[in-house]
Amino acid sequence: MLMKSIAAGLAGTALLATVAFAQDPTATTDKAAPAATTTTTTTTTASGEWRASKMSGLKIYNDANENIGSINDLLMDKSGHIKIAVIGVGGFLGMGEHLVAVPYEKLKFVNEAVAYTGAKPAATTTTGAATGTEKTTTTTATTASSTSKWYPDHAVFNASKDELKNMPEFKYSE
């Protein structure tokens, strides 16, 4: 019984495909030249572009390199231009997170890693056993940069975490 159903499905699919191929697309009565063949501007490469799907979760820092939140959503107008970034502030694993809406053009996207400015213990190397000559080396660490060309490393918004938490909460209307 299962084999008969599969065979009937394949036969129906083949019949529909034959009808679709039998249609002659050039036999139209319209005398205008098809615009799609002359004005097609599709590209197969998009170097320098960012994927919107990768922007969700992007960390946001302020000018003092403090992590103040992350992008939860991007809202666009009817013409497709992104107008608002919904930022999640605070919370833990999505619980208790305060959502705020900020103008998208106020975000500055950066492709370089955030410089770590916190205190790191200095590495000490002894150059002589009994001479007491020591050399102290202090290093500055940076986080690894995103090598992907499809999304920036982070965004910068000029506000503190407390200022964002004090902004009116953003709620999605149904």
Side-chain angles (χ1 to χ4, degrees), residues 31-140:
K31 297 196 193 274
T37 59
T38 59
T39 60
T40 303
T41 59
T42 48
T43 60
T44 56
T45 60
S47 62
E49 302 294 333
W50 291 333
R51 292 178 58 187
S53 62
K54 297 290 186 181
M55 298 299 272
S56 180
L58 189 72
K59 295 205 181 294
I60 299 178
Y61 294 84
N62 60 14
D63 292 332
N65 287 339
E66 298 168 334
N67 184 349
I68 58 174
S70 63
I71 295 178
N72 278 27
D73 207 351
L74 298 174
L75 306 178
M76 64 179 78
D77 61 13
K78 293 181 180 177
S79 65
H81 295 97
I82 299 173
K83 296 295 182 182
I84 296 174
V86 179
I87 299 175
V89 184
F92 180 71
L93 297 174
M95 302 289 290
E97 189 173 48
H98 181 73
L99 298 179
V100 295
V102 299
Y104 184 74
E105 65 268 2
K106 297 288 183 179
L107 294 176
K108 176 184 166 194
F109 293 96
V110 182
N111 280 327
E112 298 172 2
V114 176
Y116 176 73
T117 58
K120 183 178 178 180
T124 305
T125 310
T126 305
T127 56
T131 61
T133 339
E134 295 181 344
K135 179 181 176 184
T136 304
T137 308
T138 306
T139 58
T140 304

